[in-house]
Amino acid sequence: MRLIMLGAPGAGKGTQAKRVAAKYNIPHISTGDIFRANIKNQTELGLKAKEYMDKGLLVPDDLVVDIVADRLLQDDCKEGFILDGFPRTIPQAESLDKALLSMKTKIDYAIDIAVPDENIVRRMSGRRACLKCGATYHIKYNPPKTEDICDTCLGEIVLRDDDKEETVLKRLGIYHEQTKPLIDYYNAQDILISVDGTVDIDDVTKSIIEILGV
Ligand code: ADP
Ligand code: AMP
């Protein structure tokens, strides 16, 4: 199964992508996680990406498309994958289509998690991320078992710099301008699925799995 997760920042893409990846035994590929790992390791890519991420801007297309195309060529993607946070612009979607065409394959479904803007800011201020393994929590909707400590790796969990309210509003504006048009792009390809992302985390997962099938 080859899948794309669409939705505003904070819609629940990462949360759902991890669950869908585990259910169908496919790799979860998050471009945000790839950039954050590069920032942590202070690579050249990480240093470049950080400049944009800290301002709530998108990293330029040419820094992201080749990374994803290379990742999709790895062995674990042969039976499928779930992309989270990519594509985020029409040129990225077109590059992805091209890369998949050269691999003689295509996306099965693009899953849009629909959440109105007013819910997003509230959600993002409560999101916490593990500094060590990248796991995400929400202080109210999905809290860790022990305050400020990651359930999985016992790392420290913190508010991401780009989840501060001012940056979230900037990211949301860019989402509407550059990423939301992908809904029409995939609708035109007849592979768009839309789910209500305002209900409980488990219920969102249920509706995605119901549509994808067991
Ligand atoms: P994205 O990957 O789209 O940016 P996340 O999956 O990180 O979003 O979710 C953003 C925040 O909202 C996290 O703190 C997460 O725990 C929380 N969250 C995700 N889905 C829901 C939901 N259905 N209801 C309430 N909170 C949610
Ligand atoms: P995310 O973890 O998906 O919320 O991504 C965090 C940040 O990484 C975004 O706000 C962007 O600055 C950057 N980023 C992640 N994926 C992409 C992408 N496909 N294109 C451009 N920038 C991206």
Side-chain angles (χ1 to χ4, degrees):
M1 186 117 52
R2 293 172 182 83
L3 305 170
I4 290 173
M5 277 293 178
L6 296 177
K13 298 182 296 296
T15 304
Q16 299 302 330
K18 286 188 186 91
R19 289 166 167 227
V20 172
K23 161 102 184 141
Y24 296 101
N25 199 19
I26 49 177
H28 164 219
I29 303 171
S30 153
T31 43
D33 285 352
I34 293 173
F35 288 136
R36 280 184 288 276
N38 275 275
I39 291 172
K40 198 170 159 192
N41 296 328
Q42 298 188 327
T43 67
E44 201 180 320
L45 172 70
L47 291 176
K48 277 190 199 154
K50 189 172 175 1
E51 271 179 49
Y52 298 92
M53 289 167 75
D54 282 352
K55 292 183 192 138
L57 300 172
L58 292 184
V59 174
D61 292 339
D62 59 341
L63 289 184
V64 70
V65 292
D66 291 345
I67 293 171
V68 175
D70 286 348
R71 179 67 186 86
L72 296 183
L73 286 172
Q74 288 177 22
D75 264 2
D76 63 338
C77 292
K78 270 195 181 133
E79 300 302 319
F81 50 79
I82 181 159
L83 286 172
D84 158 18
F86 183 92
R88 259 180 159 101
T89 63
I90 296 279
Q92 289 182 17
E94 288 168 348
S95 307
L96 175 64
D97 281 349
K98 243 191 238 165
L100 291 173
L101 190 66
S102 71
M103 293 163 64
K104 298 191 172 45
T105 185
K106 58 185 177 53
I107 296 296
D108 295 304
Y109 295 108
I111 305 163
D112 178 48
I113 306 184
V115 177
D117 286 6
E118 47 280 21
N119 300 31
I120 293 289
V121 180
R122 201 167 50 236
R123 266 202 201 170
M124 300 290 258
S125 62
R127 170 157 72 179
R128 297 290 181 274
C130 174
L131 282 176
K132 220 163 124 191
C133 75
T136 48
Y137 298 90
H138 191 283
I139 50 175
K140 188 165 160 210
Y141 306 121
N142 179 26
K145 292 191 184 93
T146 312
E147 205 179 323
D148 298 338
I149 305 285
C150 178
D151 292 350
T152 322
C153 75
L154 304 181
E156 186 191 355
I157 62 169
V158 298
L159 178 73
R160 267 167 46 180
D161 281 344
D162 60 346
D163 281 351
K164 298 192 171 129
E165 186 170 338
E166 194 188 297
T167 318
V168 168
L169 292 174
K170 175 98 195 162
R171 293 168 67 195
L172 209 45
I174 290 179
Y175 164 75
H176 282 286
E177 228 172 76
Q178 299 198 50
T179 309
K180 211 171 170 193
L182 293 174
I183 293 180
D184 286 341
Y185 183 89
Y186 290 112
N187 202 14
Q189 293 189 12
D190 223 12
I191 56 170
L192 182 77
I193 291 174
S194 191
V195 294
D196 178 3
T198 63
V199 295
D200 278 359
I201 294 178
D202 285 346
D203 292 329
V204 180
T205 312
K206 263 190 218 149
S207 41
I208 294 174
I209 288 174
E210 247 170 52
I211 297 171
L212 296 179
V214 187

